Amino acid sequence: MGKMVGSATNPRAVRPVAFPVNADSNSGVPGDQTTVFAAVGSDGGSMAGTEFGCREDVERLLAEKMRGKNRTDYKGKSEQMIEYIKRLRICVRWFMELEDGYMEEQAKLRTMLGSEEERHGELELQLRAKMDELDATTRELREQNSSLQEKLTNEELEKLAAVKSYENEREARVAAETSRDALSTDLERVTQEKKRISDQLKMLQETNRRLQEYNTSLQQYNSNLQNEANKNGETISRFQKEKSVIMESLTTARDLANSLKSQLDASRSSQQKAMKLKEELRKEVSCLRIELQQVRDDRDHFSTQVQSLTLEVDNYRELTKKSTKDLDNITLKIIALEKTCSSQRVKIQFLEDQLAASSEKLKRADLTTIETMTEYEELKTTVDHLQDRLTEAEFQIVEAEKLRKKLHNTILELKGNIRVFCRVRPLLPDSDLSDTDREVVSYPTSIEYLGRGIDLTHNAQMYNFTFDKVFNHEASQEDVFVEISQLVQSALDGYKVCIFAYGQTGSGKTYTMMGDTGCAEQKGLIPRSLEQIFQTSQSLQCQGWKYKMQASMLEIYNETIRDLLSPGRPSTLDASGGLCKQYTIKHDSNGNTIISDLTIVDVCSIKEVSLLLQQAAQSRSVGRTQMNEQSSRSHFVFTLRIFGVNESTEQQVQGVLNLIDLAGSERLAKSGSTGDRLKETQAINKSLSALSDVIFAIGKKDEHVPFRNSKLTYLLQPCLGGDSKTLMFVNISPGASSVGESLCSLRFAARVNSCEIGIPRRQIQIRCSDSRLSYG
C-alpha cells in the first residue's frame, strides 16, 4: 500500500462561539430563556446567529438540508456539515439547560404544594378544634341559663305566695277591727234581744263551735306560715350555699348558656301552674268572704250573751295580737326574701351580661370561621393552580425528553452508525523501554486532523490514517469513556449499541474494555458504562421511568459458544475444547438476538454486575504466547438488555448494550503458536476476517452479506445494520517491535472507517481518507 498523505490546504478554521441571551432577566422560568449562538471565522468575520426560543426553531434546524455549490463540492458540504453538527450540539446544550430548569421548577412546585397541603391540614385541625370548643361553650351556657331561670321562677313563686298570705292576714285584721266596732255599737241592741238570743243559745253554741273550728283553722294556718317561714329560712341558707356555688360557677359561665334556654321553657310552664294556683286562691278568698258574710248574718240574726260575747271578744283580741306578731315576723321574712330576690336579680343580670359577652364572642368566632374558610378556599385555589402548573411542567418535561432523544439520535446518526476510534496503548515500563529509542507513532498537529489523525512509521516510510477519534498513549480511561458515553445513553433510549475492541494481542484491548476494577481511575469502558446506565436510570425515576436490566456473558472459543455464567462451569478447558452443551443463535422479527439455554441474570445494581464480571473473568479462556503472557484466546461478549416503561406516559423502550473484547489478532510466524494455540490462532484470525468481509459487504451494499461465516458475525448481525449504533476500538501497541501488527490493524480499521453503513454521513471523511491514500 502506498504512502498516505492528507490534504491540508483548506483546514477548517471556523470555531463556534456560544453565548446565552436571556429575554427576561427577572424571569425564573426556563421557557423564557432564548439562547443565541454565533460562529466566528478565523478571518474575524461572523456568521449569522442561530436563536433557539421554541420547539419550532429546533425542528427548523433538524429540517435544514445541506447544500453545496455542486455535487463535487465536498469541502463546502464538509464545512456545512461540521457547522450543522456544532449547531446541533449547541441546540442539545440549550435543551439540557431548559430541561434542568424544568426539573428545578417541578421540584419547587412540589415543595410549595407539600407546604400548602401541610398548612391546609393545620388550619383545618385548628378550625375543627375551635368549632368543638365553641359548641361545648354554647351548650354549657344554655344549661346554666336554664337552671338560673328555673331558680328565679321558684323564688318569684315563693315571693308571690308570701305576699298573698300577708294580704290575707291584713284583710282578716281589718275585718276583725270592723267587727269589733260593730259589736260595740250594737251592744245595747244585743242586750235588748237577750231573751231572744237565749232561745237561740243552742244555735249560737253551734256558731261558737264553728268559730272555734275557724280559729283552729287559723292556728293551723299560722303553723303553716311558721313552717313556711322555717322553709324560707332553709331556702335562704340554701340560697347562700347556692350563692357560693354560683360564684364558683361564674368561671364556667360559658357552660351554662345552653341550660338557661331549657330552664326558661320550664319556668314558663311553672308560671302557668302559678297562674292556676292564683285562680284557686282567689276562689278560696271568695269562699272565705262568703263565710264571713254568713257570720255577719248570723250575728245580725242571733244575739249572744254579753258575757260570752265579751269573753269571745277578749279571746279574739288575744288571737289578733298573736296573729299580728306572726304577721310582723312574716313581714320581716318577706323583706329578707325581697333582699334575697334583689341579690338574685343582680346575679341574674350579671349572668345575662356574661351570656351577652359569650354571644358576642360566638359571633366573633363565627367571623373568624368565615375568614378561615375564605383563606382555605384561597389556599385550595392556589393548590389547584400549582397542581396545574406541575402537570404542565411534567408534560413539558416529557415532550422535552422526546425531543432530546430525537436530537441525540440525530447527532449520533450524523456522526455515523458505525464509527472507528483508535487508541494507542499506554507505555509499559518493562516491555516498551527498549523501543523508546525509535518512535514509530506520531500525531499530526494541524487543526483539521488534530485528535483524529495518526501517523505510523515502518521501514522508513510514514503511513497516515484518519479516524473519528484518536487517543494517544497519554489518554486516560476517563478521556476514552467521555467520547463513548453518548452511545451508552442511546442504549437507555431504546437503541441497539455495540462497542468492540479490535487489535493485536497485547495492544490493550482488555485494558480498554475492563481496566482495573480495583482502582477507580483505571476502570474500563464496561464498568463505567454500567455505572452511567444505573445512575441515569435512577435519576429518571422522578419522571416516571422504571427500568429492568438483564445481563449475560459468553465467549466464542474456536467457533464455539461458552456460557461464562453457567453454574458449575469449570475454570479450565481440556485440550480438545469439547463442551457438553451446544448453544444456537436465533434472531426474531424485531431484530433481537436469542441464544438457547444461555444464562440471563436480572441485575439491579452495579455491585451485582461487578460480581458477575469477576465470575466471567475467572472462567474466560486465556493462554500464553510469545507475544503476550496472558493472551485472550476467545471473543468475550457482555450483553445488557434494558427494558424501560414510563407509567405516566405509557412509553416503552427496549435497548441492548453489547460490549465486546475481541481476541487478539496475531501472525503465526511471530506468535510461535503450536498445537492447541495454533488452532486457537487460526479460529481467531478466521472470525476476524469474517467480520471484515461482513463490514465490506454492507459498505458495498451487496445483496448477500456473509453473516453466517462466523459465530461472531452472526451474533452481531442486528448491531451492524438499521438504526443500531456500532463503535470499533482499534488498539495498537506503541512499541517498534509491534509496528507490523499495528499497521495491519490500522489498515483494517481504515477500511471499516471508509464504509458507508446506515445514513451516508461519511462522504467527507471517506474522501479525505481516499485523498490521503492516493499519495504514496
Side-chain angles (χ1 to χ4, degrees), residues 562-564 566-574 579 618-620:
R562 294 179 176 179
D563 188 1
L564 298 180
S566 177
R569 170 181 167 82
S571 60
T572 59
L573 299 172
D574 54 8
L579 289 175
Q618 295 175 358
S619 302
R620 189 179 179 186

Side-chain angles (χ1 to χ4, degrees), residues 12 24 159 241 287 291 447 524 562 583 663 705:
R12 295 191 303 271
D24 187 2
K159 179 182 178 181
K241 292 179 180 179
C287 293
E291 290 178 358
I447 297 178
R562 294 179 176 179
Y583 299 91
V705 180

